[in-house]
Amino acid sequence: MPTFSPTFHSVDGTELIALMQRLYPICRSITGNGLRQSLQILQELVPLTLHEVPSGTQVFDWTVPKEWNVRDAYVKNAQGKKVIDFQKHNLHLVNYSIPIQQKMPLAELKKHLHSLPEYPEWIPYRTSYYAETWGFCLSHNELEALEEGEYEVYIDSTLADGHLTYGELVLPGELAEEVLISTHCCHPSLCNDNLAGMALATFLARHLGGQPRRYTYRFLFLPGTIGAITWLAQHEAQAARIQHGLVVACVGDPGQMTYKRSRQGGAVIDRAVAHVLAHKGQPHAMIDFSPYGYDERQYCSPGFNLAVGSLTRTPYGRFPQYHTSADNFDLVKPEFLADSLATYLAVIDVLEHNRMVINQKPKCEPQLGKRGLYGSLGGGKSTHDSVMAMLWVLNLADGRHTLLDMAERASIEFDLIRRAADALLATDLLVEEKLG
Ligand code: ZN
């Protein structure tokens, strides 16, 4: 069996922040050069393959949209002063705005302006992927300061046939069965949603790339919704190999970890995450699947019904900074990214080591002492805890319980159950039954 380091890996979040700082200024969208350039930066860290799917490609009930690129955008007042400037913040321009150069009075301009009266200093994030229009976003204070008069609106963008770009990395394991790690990467200059997810998935891939693996790992870096739909439409056979999956997003804020279960609800991934969070000793939340949120919506659509949940900190829409300019480096901190990544690694430890073992001497308890099993586990656990873990493993190793079943039934941390099983497997008492 491959050997992983102990359950909670020590992880440095500053590397994730450094990657996010490189990605932050880029204007990403569901297509276009900003998305492409962002994935190329990830390629410096992990060997991602970039795929290009042509505009107009039919993907189930959807069509891959035209590619959007923007060079410049601003609004000038009557004195020729830029009062809204895309060059100062990507969020100032409604994502997917069509090109325009036109003069108009304030009343007309205001129909295309978006602000947040409840947070008057923040710029909202708005998109218009599937309705051809244009618009600008600005702080409510800036909006209120606009004077009557004629304004010049200028958007130098193109919306033309091109491609939808996504990144994919497959790390082969001993098994053909796969673990899916999926993250969206279409948001411009927003940290928790979604640069934190991009950074976590990248460093998770880098970490797993250097480890022996039982499962095959598939990482997808996709534009939200349309990217996942596109991948699923073009990879139905591969999708059937996904045994466990997690959608990564919102993993850098101070909030507690939150797990949204897969549509199946009681899948191994749902139980593995529940077990890790329960034994982590920190407040956390478990929520049931609902057909809203991130790309678990697509993976858990009834025609796929994959065992894919979503592991976040504060979920989408539940933090005030969500989809605003305040989702920045004041919200996302290295220690929270590190804690999230360590949690993902702990969940993967469970998946990697969850097996079926069979007791070879099931009639009454075997003698542990004569096999030198007392106090043999170490790892700071008391002899009592170690012996209890071995007794549980022997008792439940009847061909009907995996190690995760045993950890749940015994209320013992998976890592200790696993080490108890390893110690017993080294004797004549236990053998492994191959899963899958
Ligand atoms: Zn979002």
Side-chain angles (χ1 to χ4, degrees):
M1 281 299 297
T3 310
F4 273 60
S5 36
T7 313
F8 279 93
H9 302 253
S10 121
V11 169
D12 181 4
T14 58
E15 285 186 295
L16 280 73
I17 289 281
L19 173 61
M20 290 172 59
Q21 281 168 339
R22 286 187 66 194
L23 297 167
Y24 185 82
I26 299 170
C27 183
R28 276 166 296 278
S29 184
I30 55 171
T31 63
N33 290 327
L35 172 62
R36 220 169 258 125
Q37 188 190 341
S38 301
L39 295 173
Q40 284 162 356
I41 288 172
L42 303 188
Q43 281 182 315
E44 295 172 24
L45 292 159
V46 287
L48 270 191
T49 301
L50 266 53
H51 298 277
E52 300 276 356
V53 183
S55 304
T57 303
Q58 195 66 26
V59 286
F60 295 127
D61 203 37
W62 297 59
T63 308
V64 173
K66 288 178 178 169
E67 182 175 326
W68 183 69
N69 284 292
V70 55
R71 283 156 296 278
D72 198 11
Y74 57 77
V75 175
K76 277 183 182 172
N77 64 15
Q79 291 74 44
K81 180 176 179 282
K82 286 184 188 174
V83 291
I84 310 173
D85 187 356
F86 167 74
Q87 304 295 347
K88 289 193 176 158
H89 206 301
N90 287 318
L91 295 185
H92 277 316
L93 182 64
V94 170
N95 206 284
Y96 253 71
S97 282
I98 57 173
I100 183 174
Q101 182 164 22
Q102 200 176 311
K103 292 194 172 172
M104 62 188 72
L106 181 62
E108 185 62 29
L109 174 64
K110 273 190 171 173
K111 293 178 190 166
H112 294 269
L113 298 183
H114 308 271
S115 70
L116 294 168
E118 63 275 35
Y119 296 106
E121 294 183 351
W122 300 354
I123 309 166
Y125 165 53
R126 294 280 185 275
T127 66
S128 184
Y129 302 137
Y130 302 104
E132 290 201 359
T133 184
W134 62 271
F136 284 88
C137 301
L138 69 172
S139 75
H140 198 65
N141 289 340
E142 289 171 315
L143 177 73
E144 298 274 270
L146 294 179
E147 293 169 359
E148 291 298 330
E150 193 170 62
Y151 287 85
E152 181 195 347
V153 174
Y154 178 72
I155 301 174
D156 180 12
S157 65
T158 46
L159 193 56
D161 282 342
H163 294 84
L164 173 151
T165 314
Y166 71 88
E168 186 172 38
L169 172 64
V170 177
L171 299 172
E174 292 168 24
L175 301 175
E177 283 85 2
E178 295 186 0
V179 177
L180 172 70
I181 303 291
S182 177
T183 191
H184 64 291
C185 44
C186 48
H187 291 24
S189 303
L190 292 164
C191 279
N192 202 33
D193 173 27
N194 55 192
L195 289 177
M198 291 171 69
L200 185 144
T202 301
F203 279 86
L204 184 60
R206 208 162 76 145
H207 190 97
L208 293 176
Q211 297 272 17
R213 294 171 298 275
R214 190 162 68 112
Y215 282 106
T216 293
Y217 288 80
R218 185 180 298 271
F219 286 81
L220 293 174
F221 296 81
L222 306 162
T225 306
I226 187 68
I229 292 170
T230 298
W231 188 85
L232 285 164
Q234 300 190 334
H235 299 84
E236 283 200 62
Q238 283 95 327
R241 289 206 292 264
I242 294 168
Q243 301 290 299
H244 319 284
L246 291 172
V247 168
V248 191
C250 302
V251 285
D253 69 278
Q256 65 184 11
M257 297 229 56
T258 303
Y259 179 64
K260 177 182 170 183
R261 296 182 186 93
S262 74
R263 181 176 180 268
Q264 297 179 25
V268 172
I269 186 66
D270 300 318
R271 295 167 46 209
V273 176
H275 183 83
V276 166
L277 292 179
H279 285 268
K280 201 165 162 242
Q282 291 170 8
H284 62 275
M286 302 289 293
I287 54 179
D288 277 328
F289 176 79
S290 67
Y292 199 71
Y294 294 116
D295 286 329
E296 67 277 9
R297 297 158 70 157
Q298 313 310 332
Y299 302 120
C300 295
S301 58
F304 286 99
N305 198 26
L306 299 175
V308 176
S310 181
L311 182 54
T312 65
R313 300 187 78 85
T314 307
Y316 70 92
R318 304 268 182 89
F319 49 100
Q321 302 92 336
Y322 174 76
H323 281 191
T324 77
S325 55
D327 182 358
N328 58 24
F329 294 100
D330 293 333
L331 175 67
V332 169
K333 296 293 179 194
E335 58 268 32
F336 308 126
L337 290 165
D339 180 68
S340 299
L341 180 51
T343 307
Y344 270 81
L345 287 166
V347 170
I348 286 171
D349 273 348
V350 174
L351 299 178
E352 282 287 315
H353 295 286
N354 187 28
R355 328 162 243 174
M356 192 81 83
V357 286
I358 313 289
N359 184 345
Q360 300 298 288
K361 298 199 184 299
K363 290 183 176 163
C364 299
E365 289 178 7
Q367 272 191 275
L368 300 182
K370 72 179 184 187
R371 294 177 175 86
L373 288 166
Y374 282 112
S376 62
L377 300 190
K381 296 292 178 186
S382 70
T383 300
H384 174 76
D385 289 347
S386 302
V387 170
M388 279 311 298
M390 283 189 271
L391 292 176
W392 271 112
V393 170
L394 287 168
N395 189 275
L396 292 174
D398 56 1
R400 292 200 298 270
H401 297 86
T402 64
L403 296 190
L404 179 57
D405 294 327
M406 296 176 191
E408 287 175 338
R409 174 86 179 261
S411 294
I412 292 174
E413 191 182 350
F414 181 87
D415 190 59
L416 184 57
I417 289 286
R418 167 170 81 85
R419 285 187 289 123
D422 284 343
L424 293 164
L425 284 164
T427 72
D428 60 336
L429 295 179
L430 206 65
V431 295
E432 182 176 348
E433 186 178 273
K434 290 290 174 198
L435 287 175

